[in-house]
């Protein structure tokens, strides 16, 4: 019986490349929030192998307001956490998480805070007889602490 060998290594020559970032996924969608409020969110980074990726740097940016931190490293479960302080203008606001050329966004509709002031708009310089309607309506604006 004869045995032959081709090379001096017992390891395979083909190697599997390490996984790269395939997707970022926000775990919750905060929906409507009050302007200026703080929203806590988590984003998961998934690799090309379908598994969560630990140790990946994730950058956060917002169209309004601020984030803390502005970047974070994913934990053993592939999660990164951020606190987003919404901007003070009512309307649509978006947070983006980015890692290795991939990104995910979550959008909040920021609604006005509780009324804080009334401002006269028009109709306050009219006069008329008691019981008779005035020519123009009295108009006031109700504003929250941020002017919304």
């Amino acid at each position: 019986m004869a045995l032959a060998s081709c090379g001096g290594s017992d390891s395979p020559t083909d190697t599997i490349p390490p996984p790269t970032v395939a997707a970022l996924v926000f775990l919750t969608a905060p929906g409507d929030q009050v302007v200026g409020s703080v929203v806590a969110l988590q984003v998961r980074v998934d690799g090309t192998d379908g598994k969560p990726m630990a140790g990946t740097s994730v950058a956060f940016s917002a169209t309004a307001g601020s984030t803390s931190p502005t970047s974070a490293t994913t934990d053993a479960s592939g999660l990164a956490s951020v606190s987003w302080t919404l901007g003070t203008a009512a309307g649509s606001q978006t947070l983006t998480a980015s890692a290795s050329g991939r990104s995910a966004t979550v959008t909040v509709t920021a609604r006005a805070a509780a009324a804080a002031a009334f401002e006269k708009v028009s109709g306050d310089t009219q006069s008329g007889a008691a019981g008779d309607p005035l020519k123009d309506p009295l108009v006031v604006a109700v504003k929250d602490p941020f002017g919304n």
Side-chain angles (χ1 to χ4, degrees):
M1 173 192 276
L3 296 173
S5 167
C6 295
S9 173
D10 290 335
S11 63
T13 57
D14 294 335
T15 58
I16 298 172
T20 58
V21 174
L24 285 81
V25 179
F26 279 100
L27 299 186
T28 58
D32 291 357
Q33 299 288 325
V34 174
V35 293
S37 62
V38 178
V39 180
L41 294 167
Q42 284 189 312
V43 64
R44 187 184 67 235
V45 177
D46 293 333
T48 51
D49 61 357
K51 297 177 183 175
M53 292 185 67
T56 303
S57 180
V58 178
F60 298 101
S61 62
T63 59
S66 61
T67 65
S68 180
T70 56
S71 66
T73 302
T74 57
D75 63 15
S77 298
L79 301 176
S81 299
V82 64
S83 291
W84 178 20
T85 301
L86 298 179
T88 57
S92 181
Q93 299 185 25
T94 301
L95 175 70
T96 301
S98 302
S100 300
R102 304 283 188 201
S103 64
T105 60
V106 64
T107 300
V108 167
T109 300
R111 63 182 188 281
F118 292 92
E119 295 178 6
K120 67 179 179 175
V121 176
S122 64
D124 62 321
T125 59
Q126 302 176 82
S127 60
D132 289 343
L134 296 173
K135 177 183 170 214
D136 298 316
L138 298 174
V139 180
V140 296
V142 179
K143 305 249 178 172
D144 73 2
F146 306 109
N148 294 299

